[in-house]
Amino acid sequence: MRLHLLFNHEPISLAPNTHEGDSSSATVILKLACPSLLRLDPAMRPQPDLAESWRVSDGHRIFDFTLRPGLTFHNGRALEAEAAAACFHRIFDPRVQSPLQGDFAGLEAVEATGRLTLRFRFAEPHLAFLPALAWRCFLADDVAVQPVGAGPYEVLEWRRGSHLRLRKFPGHYAAHRFAAEELVIRFAPRAADRIAAIEAGAADIIETLPAGAAADLVARGLVQALVANSPRKTVIAFRTTEPPFDDPRMRQAVAHALDLEAIRARHLGDRGRLVVGVLPEDDPWAEKLEPLPFDPDRARALVREAGHGDGVRVQVSTTAMPPVPGVAAQVAAGLAAIGIELDLRHYWDPPWWPAVYLQGGWQMAIQGASARPHPHILFQRDLCTGGAFNAGGYSNPRLDTLVAEARRSADPARQRETYAEAQRLVHAELPVLPLYAADVLAGARPGLRGFRPHPLGYVELEDVRLRETGEDAAAFP
C-alpha cells in the first residue's frame, strides 16, 4: 500500500537537530524517519519510543535509558548506546549550534553505561528534560545529505520542488504496525492547491485542511475532517530592540486597539480560542490573567504619550498562509484607526520565521507559532534572552531567572507559581501579543482508517490503513 501525504510546506532542510531542520515543516517528516528515545502522546506525556524504559534519579539530575534491543539505523549500523550518545554529542558541537542546546541547559555528560543503556547527567535538576527530549530531538546517523534514522520509514528520494519518497523500514521495532510500504509526500501551501488535490482524490492524508472549504469538502464526501485541540498560536511579535516597539506603551496600544474576539470569530469560529498571556486558558500550566480591554481611545492616548501623535508607519512581516493574510488585514485596519500604519510584507513558509525576520527591516510580525509541549520550551526558545526563536530581541533578566528556577524546581507548587509569575511578567510587558490558539484541522481520504491528528502537528501512521487496501490515491495532478 502506498500513502499520498499532502503537507503544507516543503522544508528548507532535513538535517536533524539543526537550526535549518528545526521547523514544523521538517519535524513532521523527521518524526517518521528519525524518532527519539521518547515520544509525546496527545496529552503531552512522554512514552517509550527507541528507548523501552527510563529511570529518573538524584533529584532529576540523572536520567537513565534502556534502548530496545536489535535497533539499527536505516544504513544497517547498530543503534546501541554508544551510537545514541554520539547523536547528543553532535548537538553540543559548537559547529552545529543546535537550538536543542537551550532545551537541554545544564547537561554535563551523555555516556553509554552499557551496550543498551545510556545516561544523561545534569549539573542541576532539569524537570522539563523528558518533554524536550521527546519533542524535536532526533536520533540520526552522521550524514550530510539526508537523514538516516531508525524510524519506521527511510528517506529514499527528495526531489526539491516536487516530492519526497519514503520506504517502510522493515528493521523498525514496530514495523508490523505500519501498513503502508511507501509514502509519497507533496507540498501545497496554497489552499487552492490543497482543494484541487482533494477533489482529484490525490491525497490520503492532508496536514491542514483549508478551513474555509472544509465543510463543503466534507459534505461532498471528498474528505474526513479530523480535529485535535492544540496549543499552537498565531501571534503578533514585536521587535523590542528598535522603535517604535521598544516602548512598552506602543505594544500596549496595539493590544488595546484590536478586538481579538472579533478576529477569532471571523477567521476561526469555533476552531480557535483566545489566549491571554502566552498559554491558552485550557493549557494545564496556564495562569488566569486579565485581558487588556478593547479600548481604541486608550490606545490612541498611549500612542500620543509615546511621542507618535502624528502617526507612525511600521514594516510588518507576515506569512501568506491562510487565514493569516485576512487576520493581518483586520489588524491593519484596527491599528490605522489609532495612527499606526502597517506596511505588510507577505511571504510563503519556509524559510521559517526567524530566518526571514532576522534579515532585518521588520518592526512587527504576524505569524503562527508552533505548539510547545512544555512552558520551559516556550519560554526558553521564544522569550528568554538569546532564545533560538526570540527574533524580537526581548530580554528581561527576571524572566531568565524565573525560567531557570522553574526548570530545576522539584516542588510542583513552587514550579507552578514560578511559571505563573513568568506569565504575568510577559503579559505585562507584551513582547508578543497572542491573537488566538488554533486547533489542528487535518484531513483524511474516505476509506482511510486509524489516523488521528496530534496536537503538536505530527502525522503518526501506526495502524493506519485504507479500507480498499489494494487501491492507492490517483496520481497527483
Side-chain angles (χ1 to χ4, degrees):
M1 181 182 76
R2 178 188 297 116
L3 283 179
H4 294 261
L5 310 181
L6 190 61
F7 290 172
N8 296 343
H9 301 291
E10 185 173 14
I12 57 175
S13 172
L14 287 176
N17 308 321
T18 66
H19 273 281
E20 292 78 10
D22 194 287
S23 66
S24 56
S25 58
T27 294
V28 71
I29 298 166
L30 290 172
K31 281 290 178 182
L32 297 168
C34 307
S36 187
L37 297 173
L38 306 179
R39 64 180 181 86
L40 290 169
D41 68 16
M44 310 298 180
R45 296 171 302 205
Q47 301 291 345
D49 203 332
L50 297 180
E52 63 181 8
S53 63
W54 68 92
R55 184 171 63 90
V56 181
S57 60
D58 193 21
H60 283 83
R61 291 180 176 85
I62 303 294
F63 298 80
D64 289 295
F65 295 85
T66 300
L67 297 175
R68 298 179 188 272
L71 295 176
T72 64
F73 290 110
H74 299 152
N75 58 12
R77 194 162 81 94
L79 174 48
E80 296 179 341
E82 289 285 359
C87 293
F88 292 94
H89 295 156
R90 284 196 295 275
I91 288 172
F92 282 87
D93 186 326
R95 295 169 296 180
V96 175
Q97 297 185 332
S98 171
L100 291 168
Q101 293 182 21
D103 300 344
F104 300 160
L107 183 62
E108 287 187 328
V110 185
E111 56 187 351
T113 54
R115 187 173 65 86
L116 295 178
T117 54
L118 187 67
R119 170 168 289 181
F120 295 78
R121 187 178 72 249
F122 286 85
E124 56 188 16
H126 196 316
L127 274 291
F129 174 59
L130 295 180
L133 180 67
W135 178 54
R136 276 190 184 172
C137 177
F138 304 104
L139 266 64
D141 208 4
D142 192 10
V143 294
V145 178
Q146 62 190 32
V148 174
Y153 292 95
E154 57 181 315
V155 177
L156 289 185
E157 175 188 36
W158 184 3
R159 190 169 297 176
R160 290 182 181 269
S162 175
H163 66 273
L164 272 158
R165 191 161 59 92
L166 286 74
R167 178 178 61 194
K168 180 177 174 178
F169 178 52
H172 185 256
Y173 70 88
H176 62 283
R177 295 186 59 189
F178 294 84
E181 295 294 331
E182 185 177 66
L183 308 178
V184 178
I185 301 173
R186 296 184 186 271
F187 308 95
R190 293 170 174 80
D193 294 335
R194 270 175 275 156
I195 293 169
I198 293 167
E199 291 178 332
D204 296 311
I205 293 175
I206 302 95
E207 182 183 5
T208 304
L209 278 181
D216 175 65
L217 293 168
V218 171
R220 292 160 60 192
L222 298 175
V223 73
Q224 307 170 63
L226 304 168
V227 178
N229 184 276
S230 175
R232 66 181 186 176
K233 305 184 294 290
T234 294
V235 305
I236 293 176
F238 300 101
R239 187 172 286 252
T240 61
T241 56
E242 297 180 9
F245 297 117
D246 57 340
D247 189 330
R249 292 172 296 185
M250 290 295 289
R251 306 196 295 266
Q252 292 166 8
V254 171
H256 283 299
L258 300 178
D259 186 343
L260 299 183
E261 173 56 26
I263 291 173
R264 181 205 62 77
R266 177 175 176 181
H267 297 283
L268 281 96
D270 59 5
R271 292 184 302 276
R273 307 178 313 285
L274 290 180
V275 181
V276 180
V278 292
L279 296 173
E281 63 181 4
D282 55 356
D283 189 287
W285 291 98
E287 171 75 351
K288 187 171 179 57
L289 301 167
E290 286 297 320
L292 293 180
F294 174 50
D295 187 345
D297 289 337
R298 175 61 180 151
R300 280 187 282 268
L302 286 165
V303 171
R304 289 194 299 271
E305 289 174 17
H308 299 286
D310 294 330
V312 62
R313 180 179 173 88
V314 300
Q315 182 177 316
V316 182
S317 288
T318 178
T319 177
M321 182 78 171
V324 176
V327 171
Q330 196 168 350
V331 168
L335 297 187
I338 67 165
I340 301 177
E341 180 185 358
L342 301 190
D343 174 12
L344 295 172
R345 310 286 182 92
H346 296 283
Y347 69 91
W348 287 103
D349 285 328
W352 43 269
W353 67 275
V356 172
Y357 299 169
L358 291 174
Q359 292 176 4
W362 68 278
Q363 295 151 296
M364 177 194 290
I366 305 173
Q367 175 65 36
S370 298
R372 310 305 197 204
H374 191 279
H376 167 74
I377 299 172
L378 183 151
F379 284 113
Q380 175 66 41
R381 285 188 168 223
D382 300 356
L383 294 161
C384 283
T385 303
F389 284 77
N390 184 357
Y394 175 66
S395 179
N396 185 313
R398 177 57 183 163
L399 179 69
D400 299 343
T401 298
L402 288 169
V403 174
E405 288 178 357
R407 183 185 70 234
R408 59 178 176 254
S409 176
D411 178 351
R414 176 58 184 160
Q415 186 184 53
R416 177 168 291 279
E417 174 51 34
T418 304
Y419 280 131
E421 184 179 345
Q423 291 173 67
R424 291 191 292 267
L425 188 157
V426 172
H427 182 53
E429 297 205 336
L430 282 179
V432 296
L433 174 64
L435 298 173
Y436 51 78
D439 295 337
V440 173
L441 179 62
R445 180 188 182 197
L448 186 131
R449 298 291 181 264
F451 173 67
R452 295 290 181 271
H454 193 284
L456 296 173
Y458 307 152
V459 172
E460 298 181 326
L461 299 178
E462 298 97 322
D463 305 319
V464 170
R465 284 171 169 78
L466 281 171
R467 186 169 54 204
E468 309 86 1
T469 56
E471 181 179 337
D472 291 330
F476 198 90

